[in-house]
Amino acid sequence: MARALRRQGEDQLLDRVAGLFARHGFDHTSLKDLADAVGLSKAGLLHHYPSKEALFEAAREVGRAHSRELLEQAARTPAGAARDRRAVELLVDFALDRPGLIALESRAISTLGDGDGDRLDALSQHVLAVFGVEPDGDDTERLVRVVGMLSALAVLSLAANHAGDRTGWRPHIIATCLDALGHRALPE
């Protein structure tokens, strides 16, 4: 139990860190900014993470771990509209709970058109796989729909967090994401 609480606290810390990296970029985010955001002194933060690079990598690893869990859960549902709905629900919940990680990841989505698939973070790669999309594949319509859904998810979940109404926004975010994928939103 104590370990789970510690992990939850660390996840929240890394989510805040990820949000700062997303907002200001790695080069323009100082250790002092990061420490202030998580309520620690610079020395206290460096006690847990030896460098800014280690913090950045830890935030990305949390995203990778959660993306693997999301992929495994969604993949249990057969491909098609039901899987899309399950994946969207899982992603919306993830995005509402971890806005910093989603903000950081949404920056990677914007690199899809640059021909450098290695720049996609594991979360993006797993999400695209769950929706049956290959970044360099021939199904342009599906790629555009999935990227549109992910973009809407990122923007709307950040807006919901900013508005302080995650619960009220959740069904509308899900409906918007399903519409972007070409599915009429089914009643919950």
Side-chain angles (χ1 to χ4, degrees), residues 46-174:
L46 288 171
H47 174 74
H48 297 287
Y49 299 93
S51 66
K52 182 169 83 166
E53 291 80 6
L55 266 167
F56 184 77
E57 187 52 40
R60 292 191 61 167
E61 183 51 39
V62 166
R64 288 182 198 110
H66 287 294
S67 72
R68 284 189 293 271
E69 292 171 20
L70 291 175
L71 175 61
E72 290 168 6
Q73 289 179 39
R76 293 182 193 129
T77 304
R83 180 189 284 181
D84 284 356
R85 181 175 185 78
R86 179 68 179 136
V88 163
E89 291 170 345
L90 291 167
L91 286 168
V92 167
D93 290 341
F94 178 76
L96 290 172
D97 288 343
R98 294 171 183 85
L101 290 171
I102 289 301
L104 185 60
E105 187 55 33
S106 67
R107 289 177 63 118
I109 293 294
S110 67
T111 67
L112 275 174
D114 71 5
D116 188 1
D118 292 341
R119 291 179 61 187
L120 283 178
D121 187 84
L123 179 58
S124 296
Q125 292 171 2
H126 289 157
V127 168
L128 292 177
V130 130
F131 289 101
V133 173
E134 301 213 9
D136 299 326
D138 293 336
D139 192 350
T140 303
E141 179 185 356
R142 181 68 171 171
L143 176 62
V144 168
R145 286 184 176 279
V146 171
V147 170
M149 180 275 300
L150 292 172
S151 300
L153 169 73
V155 170
L156 293 172
S157 63
L158 292 171
N161 273 291
H162 182 71
D165 187 16
R166 298 174 353 181
T167 303
W169 283 56
R170 184 183 184 273
H172 303 294
I173 296 171
I174 291 170

Side-chain angles (χ1 to χ4, degrees), residues 13-33:
L13 179 143
L14 293 172
D15 183 62
R16 286 189 191 137
V17 164
L20 278 181
F21 283 128
R23 194 170 312 123
H24 303 294
F26 181 84
D27 291 336
H28 299 290
T29 304
S30 71
L31 271 172
K32 182 176 178 351
D33 294 336

